[in-house]
Amino acid sequence: MFPIDVESLRLFLHVLAATIWVGGQITLGALVPVLRRAGADIPRVAARQFGRLGWTAFAVLIATGVWNLASYDEKDRHGFAATISLKLVFVALSGIAALLHTHAKSRLWLALGGAAAAAFSLAALFLGVVLGQ
Ligand code: HEM
């Protein structure tokens, strides 16, 4: 059995939060057509409920991300600074786009904000995996 230590817990919490933040957005997006058929207001009610879990996961991502950064032992590896910087830009953009999405007044901005939040989250996820290699 491989050793289970604090590092396992740190990465487990980071990846769990990433599955909720990224996977939750994609799943909710896929459910919108059927939610809309259930009632005009249902997508908004479901999205607000997801928001409670989603923003908690985002906060856990930031907290465990800082912990990851503090524990990262390859900071002097060539390309680390560029990779983590680009990842943090995508993390910030995913949060800002999700916030604009939750406050959007028109269907167009709702769709654009939601698509942008998911796209930036996927980019942060990908760079996370690159950092973990
Ligand atoms: C949308 C937000 C984020 C997503 C989806 C995300 C996703 C991931 C994923 C999937 C990994 C790979 C874990 C592994 O290899 O087992 C990872 C690693 C990492 N993440 Fe994030 N992350 C996010 C936010 C952050 C933030 C805000 C920071 C820093 C403040 C951060 C810093 C790191 C570091 C340093 C690693 C490498 C950990 C290691 O290999 O020891 N992440 N991230």
Side-chain angles (χ1 to χ4, degrees):
M1 177 78 181
F2 284 1
I4 294 174
D5 52 15
V6 174
E7 181 171 341
S8 323
L9 177 68
R10 170 173 59 82
L11 286 173
F12 167 75
L13 290 174
H14 198 64
V15 171
L16 175 63
T19 61
I20 295 169
W21 177 251
V22 184
Q25 290 178 57
I26 295 170
T27 306
L28 190 63
L31 291 175
V32 164
V34 286
L35 293 174
R36 212 172 268 147
R37 281 203 292 276
D41 210 32
I42 302 297
R44 198 172 55 75
V45 175
R48 193 179 304 151
Q49 185 61 16
F50 167 67
R52 293 188 182 97
L53 177 66
W55 286 115
T56 307
F58 193 70
V60 173
L61 273 165
I62 307 288
T64 54
V66 171
W67 188 10
N68 282 350
L69 217 39
S71 326
Y72 200 74
D73 51 18
E74 293 188 294
K75 289 195 185 82
D76 51 5
R77 190 170 137 200
H78 177 68
F80 170 72
T83 310
I84 190 71
S85 308
L86 188 59
K87 178 180 178 175
L88 293 181
V89 167
F90 284 131
V91 171
L93 288 173
S94 79
I96 294 165
L99 213 56
L100 290 176
H101 171 73
T102 53
H103 293 93
K105 295 284 176 274
S106 73
R107 270 236 181 137
L108 175 65
W109 281 111
L110 204 62
L112 285 178
F120 291 134
S121 299
L122 281 169
L125 179 74
F126 181 75
L127 290 173
V129 171
V130 171
L131 280 167
Q133 280 175 294

